[in-house]
Amino acid sequence: MTLDNISANKCFGGWNKQYTHRSAVLNCEMRFAIFLPPQISKGQKVPVLYWLSGLTCTDENFMHKAGAQRIAADLGIAIVAPDTSPRGEGVADDPDAGYDFGLGAGFYVNATQAPWNRHYQMYDYVVNELPELIEAHFPVSQQRAISGHSMGGHGALTIALRNPQRYSSVSAFSPISNPINCPWGQKAFTGYLGKDCESWKQYDASELMKQAETKLPALVDQGDQDGFLAEQLKPEALIAAAQASQYPLELRMQEGYDHSYFFMASFIEDHLRFHASHFGA
């Protein structure tokens, strides 16, 4: 598979780069960003953190705003940030549906409903196609962790819970923890997956955590001044699920913090060090 390098910036001794490629899974051109730490210049293969962003975001939001590269360079961790949905000519969208459905709002599911099923296969892209591409073209190991924010926190948790053999740890900021019971999730799942609510549970972190047998270390940070906390995010459902299955979840309510990248920038070092501690464990 061909990669086209469209930007490259030296950063803390490493490189922050963007690439485009043709995705067979999503049936369109996709873009991702990657931070390669300075350790790769010494011939080392480094572990990878996959970062999934939230509604309306692209690959750029996290890389430009979170301030993760300094710590990743110190720890020797590559970071890969894909786009949040397929894009381009011919990719389905519904401009009247709002920011929380369609382009920029892939929800990290495999859509089953037309016309979304032609392109919106973000679950398969993140789990399989993108890591295969990264491991074939960059000096990285097969040690992987996954994290994300809001819709991306939902994606990170559900992907890790369904594929614990692929990741050493999972973390999230302000995840949509119980999407089958919140407006964002109900809207997206109805459109992408249809009206069979039972099928939605495979993409609900709280439902998956209740039944988890193989357990990964999990860290979640949530701001207590988040405007979406009560209606959309529902961390209490995730806490209850972890208690039911004795899942090793640490969920921290952070006083005064909201849903923004100021929140993520404040605690991203904790998350990177958390993942570093579990690589090779």
Side-chain angles (χ1 to χ4, degrees), residues 51-57 62 84 99-100 104-108 147-158 171-179 182 184-185 189 203 205 219-223 226-229 231-234 238 258-261 263-264 271:
W51 172 269
L52 307 183
S53 288
L55 292 165
T56 75
C57 291
F62 177 79
T84 52
Y99 71 94
D100 52 355
F107 266 85
Y108 305 102
S147 186
H149 171 237
S150 194
M151 177 185 73
H154 138 78
L157 289 169
T158 56
S171 74
F173 290 85
S174 314
I176 305 172
S177 296
N178 191 204
C182 79
W184 277 342
F189 289 0
Y203 297 112
L219 172 65
V220 172
D221 273 317
Q222 172 65 61
D226 191 318
F228 301 112
L229 180 60
E231 184 180 28
Q232 303 284 12
L233 305 180
K234 301 186 180 296
L238 197 65
D258 57 18
H259 200 71
S260 71
Y261 269 87
F263 171 42
M264 279 177 276
H271 284 240

Side-chain angles (χ1 to χ4, degrees), residues 53-116:
S53 288
L55 292 165
T56 75
C57 291
T58 68
D59 61 293
E60 293 185 335
N61 297 72
F62 177 79
M63 291 301 204
H64 288 189
K65 296 179 180 180
Q69 291 91 339
R70 179 179 63 84
I71 304 302
D74 181 52
L75 296 173
I77 298 174
I79 302 174
V80 174
D83 202 346
T84 52
S85 81
R87 299 181 196 264
E89 186 176 352
V91 174
D93 190 25
D94 184 353
D96 297 326
Y99 71 94
D100 52 355
F101 188 77
L103 295 185
F107 266 85
Y108 305 102
V109 303
N110 284 340
T112 59
Q113 305 299 299
W116 314 101

Side-chain angles (χ1 to χ4, degrees), residues 163-200:
N163 302 274
Q165 74 286 355
R166 292 186 63 83
Y167 305 96
S168 58
S169 54
V170 58
S171 74
F173 290 85
S174 314
I176 305 172
S177 296
N178 191 204
I180 67 173
N181 288 315
C182 79
W184 277 342
Q186 291 166 349
K187 178 178 180 178
F189 289 0
T190 299
Y192 296 140
L193 304 174
K195 296 181 179 179
D196 177 11
C197 299
E198 194 65 27
S199 71
W200 299 358

Side-chain angles (χ1 to χ4, degrees), residues 2-25:
T2 302
L3 290 180
D4 293 318
N5 181 211
I6 60 172
S7 73
N9 300 95
K10 194 76 178 284
C11 185
F12 293 104
W15 287 93
N16 206 92
K17 299 185 178 185
Q18 285 178 302
Y19 290 87
T20 60
H21 70 100
R22 180 75 186 178
S23 168
V25 169

